[in-house]
Each structure stands twice: as structure tokens, then as C-alpha cells.
């Protein structure tokens, strides 16, 4: 179909048909935004879990290794406290990495018009 025929068809379109198309487009946009909001809530909860485990896992590993070292090689200082603190620091850096990565992806999606790769 040529451009002139398409323009003529659009121009000859009844008003009710155009309004129905606009209404349908609004409904589709609202459904997309609603489903995106649902994903945002779940992705937020998932991110909280990821951040929690990103901090907890290295902290517990450090404490466990410290307890093992304290029992195996007793010294004047506590390996448990030292490695617990080291695990906590590593966990915080790990959580910071995941949060900044998610923030970058969120901003990239907003710049691209809010489209997701899984839609």
C-alpha cells in the first residue's frame, strides 16, 4: 500500500474507530505498567535477599574459618574476630557491587523507554 493510500485510510477513518484505537493503546500501556510494577516489587524483594546473603555468607565463612584456626592454632589474638570482621568487609563490598549493578540496569531500562528483555 502506498503512503498516500495509508494517509487517506487514516484520514477517512471514523472518529469512533480512532477513539477505540487510542483507548486500546491506553489499556495495553496500563497493563504493561501494572505488570512491570509487580516485577519491580518482586525484584526488590529478591535484591534484598541477594544483598542479605552477599553479606551473611562471607561473614559466616570468615567466622567459621576463624573458629577452626583458633582451635587448631591457638595464639594471643582471636582469628575468629579478625576473620569475622574481614568477612563482613568483603560481604559489604559484595553487596555494594550487586546494588550498583542493579541500579545501572534500572537506569539503562528507563533510558530505553522501560522495555525489558523478557517481554
Amino acid at each position: 500500500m502506498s503512503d498516500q493510500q495509508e494517509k487517506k485510510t487514516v484520514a477517512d477513518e471514523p472518529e469512533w474507530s480512532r477513539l477505540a484505537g487510542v483507548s486500546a493503546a491506553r489499556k495495553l500501556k496500563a497493563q504493561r505498567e501494572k505488570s512491570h510494577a509487580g516485577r519491580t516489587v518482586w525484584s526488590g524483594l529478591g535484591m534484598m535477599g541477594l544483598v542479605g546473603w552477599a553479606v551473611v555468607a562471607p561473614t559466616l565463612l570468615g567466622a567459621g574459618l576463624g573458629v577452626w584456626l583458633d582451635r587448631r592454632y591457638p595464639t594471643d589474638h582471636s582469628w575468629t574476630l579478625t576473620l569475622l570482621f574481614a568477612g563482613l568487609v568483603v560481604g559489604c563490598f559484595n553487596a555494594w557491587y550487586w546494588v550498583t549493578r542493579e541500579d545501572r540496569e534500572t537506569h539503562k531500562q528507563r533510558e530505553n523507554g522501560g522495555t525489558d528483555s523478557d517481554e
Side-chain angles (χ1 to χ4, degrees):
M1 191 181 270
S2 71
D3 289 336
Q4 290 178 348
Q5 288 175 337
E6 285 181 22
K7 288 179 184 176
K8 184 178 179 183
T9 304
V10 171
D12 292 341
E13 187 176 76
E15 182 67 18
W16 62 268
S17 178
R18 187 186 65 76
L19 290 175
V22 169
S23 177
R26 277 191 206 134
K27 286 181 183 179
L28 288 173
K29 182 179 177 187
Q31 286 175 346
R32 277 194 307 269
E33 289 175 357
K34 183 179 178 183
S35 67
H36 180 68
R39 276 193 308 248
T40 303
V41 169
W42 286 112
S43 68
L45 289 173
M47 179 55 64
M48 285 191 325
L50 180 69
V51 167
W53 281 109
V55 174
V56 168
T59 304
L60 290 178
L61 287 173
L65 181 61
V67 167
W68 182 79
L69 285 172
D70 279 340
R71 287 184 182 162
R72 196 85 150 163
Y73 307 105
T75 60
D76 291 340
H77 67 282
S78 171
W79 282 110
T80 303
L81 291 176
T82 304
L83 293 178
L84 178 98
F85 181 73
L88 183 63
V89 169
V90 168
C92 288
F93 278 116
N94 196 12
W96 173 78
Y97 166 78
W98 284 108
V99 169
T100 55
R101 179 178 169 193
E102 184 69 21
D103 187 52
R104 260 186 268 123
E105 288 178 10
T106 302
H107 286 303
K108 191 182 297 183
Q109 286 177 359
R110 285 184 186 159
E111 289 172 1
N112 293 336
T115 58
D116 292 338
S117 60
D118 61 346
E119 283 186 6

